[in-house]
Amino acid sequence: MVLRRLSTLLAGLVIVMAGLVAATPAYAAVFSTYGSGVNVRADAYLSAAIVRTLPGPTQIDVDCQKRGDRVTTSEGTSEWWAHVPALGGYVSVVFVAIPEDKLPGVDECGVDPDPPTGDITLADVQAMFGSRIANPTIVQEGLPSLNQAMRDAQVNTVYRKAAFLATLVHESRLEYNIREIGDTRPYGGRGYIQLTGDFNYRPAGQWLGIDLINNPELARDIRYSAQIARWYWTVARNINPYADQLKMGRVNAAIGYPAGDEDGRRCETFRTAIAYLSGQPAPAVNCSRTGKMAEDTTRLTRAQFDALAKEANGTRG
């Protein structure tokens, strides 16, 4: 049993009881963290990327818990971690205001069947992308972290998965540790999404809680590569809505390279992935880019890109 100071325990239980009375999603149980500087990690391990840090006691909606690294504080010990979908990661139960070392009434992650759009397997990507999967061993090794990043990024529909995977297979062949061939720049392309430029390395590292500026090779570390792809897809850009609308041209523009023959190749890969994931021929896909959307948008901030996309809506680009 995890030991907590009595004051922490009583305060935490009051918050938990109040939260349980309030209306919450059917899948979630409400708890509260205590203390400050509590890290939310991408997985239930101390080596996993920090996705954010809680500044103080925070109410959390937990959908499941899993066993991971043991964490010990002055208040106790626990090897259980709470999955908090809204925060995109896991919090050690040792930082949750309860008297036990495991959350009461919360299912273990993975015990229930996966949702219909479950994890992507090596067999799936080989069926979708064929010879583009040039190093199956590396692809297989990275899939657990990639699937977690997809869940965290809400890449959870056929169109979103097809767009995300089609993009990554063209960027990196789905190899988490790949380095752009011949690129010797300090901040050249690395990892699943081929992170490029100090203007991306710096904010991606800040979001993960690591120093990518002084340690750029971490961008192709298995602990961070998938989460960097997630960061780019949902933080540096907001790409899921373009996938929902079958606007693969917009997806390609968001990735940042200039329009050209590569757009057509990626759109075809997108269609192939949709057909495989849905079991039906892909519907019509918009591969076009017009005006400034056809240029290299790599250096644009998210706000600048969103403004450009809004402007392009008037020209159907």
Side-chain angles (χ1 to χ4, degrees):
M1 175 179 291
V2 177
L3 301 178
R4 305 281 196 268
R5 283 194 296 264
L6 183 59
S7 60
T8 300
L9 171 58
L10 292 176
L13 288 176
V14 169
I15 294 172
V16 170
M17 291 174 66
L20 290 174
V21 172
T24 59
Y27 64 83
V30 182
F31 296 90
S32 178
T33 65
Y34 69 91
S36 60
V38 174
N39 290 325
V40 182
R41 294 186 179 272
D43 206 343
Y45 306 100
L46 294 172
S47 60
I50 298 171
V51 298
R52 66 190 65 199
T53 300
L54 305 180
T58 303
Q59 182 173 290
I60 55 175
D61 291 349
V62 179
D63 65 347
C64 66
Q65 60 187 321
K66 67 184 287 189
R67 195 186 301 270
D69 284 346
R70 181 180 296 273
V71 179
T72 300
T73 70
S74 61
E75 305 299 328
T77 298
S78 179
E79 59 186 16
W80 289 93
W81 293 68
H83 182 240
V84 187
L87 299 180
Y90 293 81
V91 174
S92 171
V93 171
V94 80
F95 296 113
V96 179
I98 60 169
E100 299 93 349
D101 65 350
K102 184 179 181 182
L103 298 176
V106 176
D107 291 335
E108 294 182 25
C109 301
V111 172
D112 294 329
D114 286 332
T117 53
D119 282 358
I120 294 297
T121 67
L122 178 61
D124 289 332
V125 297
Q126 288 177 318
M128 282 186 276
F129 308 130
S131 61
R132 286 189 178 276
I133 305 302
N135 195 331
T137 300
I138 294 297
V139 173
Q140 177 70 67
E141 186 180 358
L143 278 175
S145 64
L146 186 62
N147 276 304
Q148 182 62 57
M150 291 170 70
R151 289 191 291 271
D152 294 341
Q154 297 184 34
V155 177
N156 51 14
T157 68
V158 166
Y159 294 168
R160 291 181 182 187
K161 287 187 173 187
F164 187 75
L165 293 170
T167 296
L168 296 195
V169 81
H170 279 266
E171 291 291 320
S172 61
R173 301 181 308 201
L174 292 178
E175 296 174 23
Y176 69 86
N177 62 350
I178 201 166
R179 180 76 158 92
E180 187 174 351
I181 297 174
D183 190 345
T184 59
R185 296 173 297 169
Y187 305 115
R190 290 181 176 90
Y192 278 122
I193 206 154
Q194 289 294 277
L195 190 72
T196 303
D198 58 351
F199 48 86
N200 279 320
Y201 276 75
R202 180 173 286 104
Q206 291 170 342
W207 187 80
L208 284 165
I210 59 176
D211 183 1
L212 286 178
I213 290 297
N214 290 310
N215 303 280
E217 279 291 285
L218 289 177
R220 61 192 190 107
D221 188 299
I222 195 169
R223 296 172 294 173
Y224 307 119
S225 182
Q227 285 298 322
I228 288 171
R230 175 212 172 184
W231 168 81
Y232 193 87
W233 199 262
T234 63
V235 179
R237 297 287 186 264
N238 183 25
I239 300 180
N240 277 334
Y242 302 140
D244 295 340
Q245 299 160 25
L246 295 171
K247 292 183 176 180
M248 194 62 185
R250 289 286 178 87
V251 174
N252 295 335
I255 296 304
Y257 65 88
D261 292 342
E262 180 66 8
D263 278 358
R265 289 190 285 268
R266 294 191 184 210
C267 282
E268 186 56 38
T269 303
F270 180 47
R271 294 187 188 96
T272 299
I274 290 175
Y276 174 83
L277 292 169
S278 68
Q280 309 176 46
V285 173
N286 184 350
C287 295
S288 66
R289 289 204 250 169
T290 58
K292 292 183 179 178
M293 293 292 283
E295 299 174 5
D296 187 342
T297 63
T298 305
R299 288 182 172 271
L300 297 184
T301 65
R302 173 168 168 171
Q304 290 170 332
F305 184 85
D306 288 347
L308 188 63
K310 187 176 294 186
E311 177 184 325
N313 284 337
T315 60
R316 297 181 179 273

